[in-house]
Amino acid sequence: MQSNSALGVAGLGSLLATVYRGKLPDGLPEDAVSSLGATLSHARGRADGEALAEAARSAFTDAQSVTMSVGVAAALTGAAVALLALPGRTSRAVAPGPESEEVGRPGSQRDAE
């Protein structure tokens, strides 16, 4: 079960990175697009640094939105599959009352009758 969780986290992380990189402006060096922190560090030494920093923040927010949406869709799909595919539990039509608990107990009034 842990390997499935790790695979899901890795997949979502890859999706986040891919969407983030895709939303950044073209022409940035590879080391500047590896993370938000790297992009912000790269933006500090540039003339258009403030615009690049804002674009990086926006790209990261968009990437998080996409990733969270995919994660929620996967969770809902898993819940639907579990609800439909796993065997259900049978429920009792009527909950047992206190009378049924007394039957068979030594010294109960019903045993005396």
Side-chain angles (χ1 to χ4, degrees):
M1 188 65 146
Q2 286 180 337
S3 63
N4 290 339
S5 298
L7 184 61
V9 170
L12 290 174
S14 294
L15 177 64
L16 179 85
T18 301
V19 173
Y20 175 69
R21 288 178 183 211
K23 298 215 175 246
L24 288 175
D26 293 333
L28 294 174
E30 186 64 28
D31 62 334
V33 297
S34 62
S35 68
L36 176 61
T39 309
L40 293 175
S41 292
H42 180 75
R44 284 189 200 121
R46 295 176 52 130
D48 63 343
E50 190 56 41
L52 177 58
E54 184 58 35
R57 288 185 195 100
S58 178
F60 187 74
T61 302
D62 291 347
Q64 278 188 321
S65 294
V66 169
T67 303
M68 293 300 163
S69 296
V70 169
V72 166
L76 290 175
T77 301
V81 167
L83 184 66
L84 297 173
L86 294 177
R89 297 180 185 207
T90 58
S91 61
R92 297 181 190 179
V94 178
E99 298 171 351
S100 64
E101 292 176 8
E102 289 185 17
V103 173
R105 284 190 187 163
S108 69
Q109 289 183 357
R110 289 201 162 215
D111 287 341
E113 294 174 2

